[in-house]
Amino acid sequence: QTETHGSIKSPECDVANKRTGDSNTRRESRDQTMERLLETGLRLFSQKGFDAVSTKMIGIKADVNEALIFRYFGDKLKFFASIVRRCIESAEQELVDAPILEDLEEDICQHLTICYQHDLKHKQFIRLAIQRSLVDAEMRENLHLRARRDRP
């Protein structure tokens, strides 16, 4: 809304309102851009492997400036690690969302089924993440630190 002083609209109020609106639009746009990059990266890494995918290729396929990968994630390896973390978090969320069953055996079966279905859905990427962690000490350390941090 624009404030008025008497019958004259204040241009300062218009500018402030536009900035607030633009900030929200930019935030949504940034989140949407990051989402598009992560989804595209997951798809391309799964299809072609880590070494065969360039940040330029990801930018082109996601219809995003390649520089935003570096701005949002730092570098290609950190971008890849973000996709790995996201994959892990999505599996964890599926487990959290599952109802707790009265029968322990059924609950364990449900838990294993959810894990299996998630892994099956992302099997190419999971294979790639494991392979990458075997040859890349930084990736291995990143995954190891996350695993230690998540332990109760």
Side-chain angles (χ1 to χ4, degrees):
Q1 292 179 350
T2 308
E3 292 182 15
T4 58
H5 300 285
S7 61
I8 302 172
K9 288 184 179 182
S10 168
E12 293 85 15
C13 293
D14 280 341
V15 170
N17 287 333
K18 285 180 185 174
R19 278 192 201 128
T20 305
D22 288 348
S23 174
N24 290 337
T25 302
R26 261 192 306 238
R27 169 60 64 194
E28 290 171 4
S29 178
R30 181 177 194 263
D31 292 345
Q32 289 170 348
T33 300
M34 288 180 75
E35 177 69 22
R36 207 165 51 247
L37 284 168
L38 291 166
E39 287 293 325
T40 303
L42 173 63
R43 189 179 72 253
L44 290 174
F45 286 135
S46 296
Q47 291 170 351
K48 300 176 183 288
F50 183 82
D51 293 324
V53 175
S54 67
T55 54
K56 183 176 184 169
M57 183 187 303
I58 295 165
I60 290 169
K61 293 288 186 180
D63 194 28
V64 171
N65 187 321
E66 174 190 15
L68 290 178
I69 295 170
F70 299 100
R71 182 175 186 185
Y72 295 156
F73 302 100
D75 60 32
K76 181 180 169 183
L77 188 61
K78 289 177 184 165
F79 175 65
F80 183 80
S82 293
I83 296 171
V84 171
R85 277 192 301 279
R86 186 170 184 231
C87 193
I88 292 168
E89 288 166 0
S90 114
E92 290 169 346
Q93 190 60 51
E94 287 180 42
L95 291 170
V96 167
D97 292 344
I100 298 172
L101 303 177
E102 293 293 322
D103 183 65
L104 179 60
E105 187 176 331
E106 287 179 18
D107 197 50
I108 292 170
C109 285
Q110 173 186 258
H111 179 92
L112 293 173
T113 300
I114 290 169
C115 291
Y116 175 74
Q117 288 173 342
H118 183 273
D119 291 353
L120 193 60
K121 179 180 173 186
H122 298 289
K123 69 180 177 184
Q124 290 296 104
F125 186 75
I126 291 169
R127 183 181 305 133
L128 176 63
I130 292 168
Q131 289 170 344
R132 195 76 213 158
S133 68
L134 292 173
V135 298
D136 191 309
E138 186 177 345
M139 176 61 69
R140 186 172 44 255
E141 183 63 20
N142 190 338
L143 293 176
H144 179 68
L145 289 174
R146 175 167 173 73
R148 274 195 291 153
R149 187 181 67 231
D150 290 347
R151 284 188 196 144

